[in-house]
Amino acid sequence: MKIKEIISVLEEMAPLAYAEDFDNVGLLVGDQDVEATGILVCHDALENIIDEAITKNCNLVVCFHPILFSGLKKITGKNYVERAVIKAIKNDIAIYAVHTALDNHQEGVNKIFSDALGLINTKILIPKQNFIRKLVTFTIPENAEEVRNALFDAGAGTIGNYENCSFNSKGIGTYMGNEHSNPQVGERFEFVQGDEIKIEVTFEKHLENKILKALFKSHAYEEVAYEIYELQNQHQNIGLGMIGELKNPISEKEFLLFAKEKMQCGGIRHSNFIGKEIKKVAVLGGAGSFAIKNAIQAGADAYLTADLKYHQFYEAENKLLLADIGHFESERYTKNYIVEYLRKKILNFAVILSEENSNPVKYL
């Protein structure tokens, strides 16, 4: 199995189009055409992780955080990033990062976080904007079903929990072909007027090329008329953070002790207690100060995230319990999820969970 085949599986799990614009995801180091010897899954692809990959005969390291986040102007081994990259290149080890591609997935980082806390009735906290497009096309009635099914097979027509969604309307189409035309109905230079079906479907924008290929292949016309629009709709199943509910409300202190146990936290920094039972909980793995207002607007009783600064605790405004449980801790179980996913999809192949703890933060 080549590394590029494994990458296809990883992109099914976390499509790169889901990643934030600032991020650096996908294959960061290595040749995708090389035969894979094994996969080592980790949180951070540090130098000691590359050593572990060498020891365990894995030439593909799948990490959550990208070791290459911003551009390198020199690679001299003067810092931890350069040393890890140099060692990986010297030992023909590829590095692939998922990061916000998995953050934004409805089954990704924040669902894993929510599941660890036992939250129910979960939904995306900040749905992704400007990600949905709409295709409109026209064809003869006899061709409509074939076109629709081809578009559905290519990924169009999914709305929330529903698939194969489309809108179809009848109308009258007209055309007249020139000397170079080869019309399906009628003759060259003949004005043709006939029944047509207008088909409308929505799709995720990264599927556009695939959708158009399906359209052109299935369409009866020599020249396919179509329109594509960018929609303002939010994508309810893609986005950052998640909000859900505890099965039973508990006190603020009980909740923090519960979260500390479930997420194996060395410590939790939190805002003032406001004497409110915790039932509705918002979470966002990693640095999530930007979503405090979103958690408040969503009616959360508590918001768990990481990397909060001093003044950001004031933003709780006595409206919710704000808690910083630690960056690594909030994403703790992500690598386990990746391993389980790969083992289900790639049978009889070495998929290994790293034994190294890459959390740089220590607690007394």
Side-chain angles (χ1 to χ4, degrees):
M1 175 178 288
K2 290 188 176 181
I3 287 175
K4 64 182 177 183
E5 296 175 74
I6 299 170
I7 289 175
S8 294
V9 176
L10 288 166
E11 291 186 5
E12 288 176 9
M13 178 190 73
L16 299 185
Y18 287 10
E20 295 297 306
D21 292 339
F22 64 79
D23 205 5
N24 189 31
V25 293
L27 186 64
L28 306 182
V29 175
D31 182 354
Q32 65 174 358
D33 290 316
V34 170
E35 288 289 327
T37 58
I39 307 167
L40 181 68
V41 179
C42 65
H43 203 80
D44 301 276
L46 306 173
E47 190 176 6
N48 62 330
I49 300 294
I50 305 303
D51 287 330
E52 184 182 9
I54 294 168
T55 300
K56 295 177 178 176
N57 193 34
C58 296
N59 65 348
L60 174 60
V61 171
V62 176
C63 53
F64 178 65
H65 289 140
I67 188 68
L68 288 171
F69 193 74
S70 54
L72 292 178
K73 293 185 177 180
K74 297 179 182 178
I75 305 180
T76 61
K78 287 185 177 180
N79 59 50
Y80 75 98
V81 173
E82 294 176 12
R83 288 192 294 273
V85 171
I86 288 171
K87 182 162 285 189
I89 292 172
K90 280 185 175 180
N91 291 277
D92 295 322
I93 292 174
I95 301 175
Y96 185 99
V98 294
H99 205 209
T100 57
L102 193 56
D103 273 314
N104 277 313
H105 198 287
Q106 64 176 335
E107 298 296 328
V109 176
N110 296 295
K111 184 62 163 63
I112 299 164
F113 194 168
S114 298
D115 288 347
L117 296 172
L119 301 184
I120 58 175
N121 302 323
T122 55
K123 63 180 181 179
I124 299 295
L125 179 63
I126 310 174
K128 202 165 183 64
Q129 304 276 355
N130 303 317
F131 202 76
I132 303 175
R133 291 184 178 172
K134 182 179 183 180
L135 169 72
V136 178
T137 191
F138 312 83
T139 189
I140 53 176
E142 296 83 357
N143 182 227
E145 183 176 0
E146 181 181 354
V147 170
R148 272 196 308 270
N149 289 337
L151 295 174
F152 294 154
D153 289 343
T158 297
I159 303 175
N161 296 320
Y162 294 85
E163 298 178 351
N164 295 0
C165 303
S166 69
F167 187 80
N168 304 268
S169 51
K170 295 180 180 179
I172 302 297
T174 65
Y175 59 84
M176 183 171 66
N178 62 22
E179 68 271 20
H180 303 294
S181 67
N182 186 25
Q184 177 76 17
V185 178
E187 302 293 335
R188 295 173 185 172
F189 306 111
E190 178 187 357
F191 179 78
V192 177
Q193 178 175 295
D195 292 338
E196 284 193 327
I197 301 294
K198 179 182 181 182
I199 302 171
E200 302 176 64
V201 292
T202 59
F203 61 93
E204 295 177 5
K205 67 178 183 179
H206 67 285
L207 296 175
E208 182 170 322
N209 287 339
K210 186 177 180 182
I211 298 289
L212 289 179
K213 285 180 182 178
L215 173 65
F216 297 149
K217 185 175 181 180
S218 61
H219 208 289
Y221 288 172
E222 180 184 20
E223 297 287 355
V224 180
Y226 69 95
E227 302 161 7
I228 291 179
Y229 302 96
E230 184 175 288
L231 303 182
Q232 302 267 330
N233 307 43
Q234 295 178 335
H235 197 307
Q236 58 187 306
N237 287 334
I238 301 175
L240 292 169
M242 191 154 281
I243 188 164
E245 298 175 335
L246 295 170
K247 291 182 181 178
N248 298 296
I250 56 178
S251 71
E252 293 163 298
K253 185 174 181 180
E254 286 177 307
F255 172 70
L256 291 179
L257 290 173
F258 169 75
K260 183 177 180 180
E261 176 192 355
K262 292 297 182 181
M263 305 307 293
Q264 302 177 41
C265 305
I268 295 180
R269 299 185 303 135
H270 63 87
S271 61
N272 287 329
F273 287 158
I274 56 177
K276 183 180 183 181
E277 281 196 324
I278 305 301
K279 172 72 172 178
K280 199 169 185 179
V281 179
V283 302
L284 197 152
S289 62
F290 63 90
I292 295 172
K293 290 181 180 179
N294 299 88
I296 293 172
Q297 289 170 358
D301 302 315
Y303 175 43
L304 299 184
T305 188
D307 298 350
L308 298 178
K309 295 180 180 180
Y310 174 88
H311 290 95
Q312 289 166 341
F313 284 95
Y314 288 126
E315 295 180 29
E317 295 281 5
N318 290 323
K319 294 179 179 178
L320 85 175
L321 176 64
L322 181 58
D324 184 333
I325 71 168
H327 194 121
F328 177 87
E329 289 79 3
S330 68
E331 301 166 340
R332 174 182 294 281
Y333 303 112
T334 303
K335 60 183 180 181
N336 304 70
Y337 172 85
I338 297 170
V339 167
E340 291 170 8
Y341 186 93
L342 290 175
R343 284 176 177 171
K344 288 177 183 177
K345 295 288 185 176
I346 307 174
L347 304 178
N348 303 316
F349 193 82
V351 181
I352 301 170
L353 178 65
S354 172
E355 297 175 9
E356 298 287 336
N357 183 349
S358 61
N359 187 2
V361 180
K362 308 302 176 185
Y363 301 89
L364 283 175

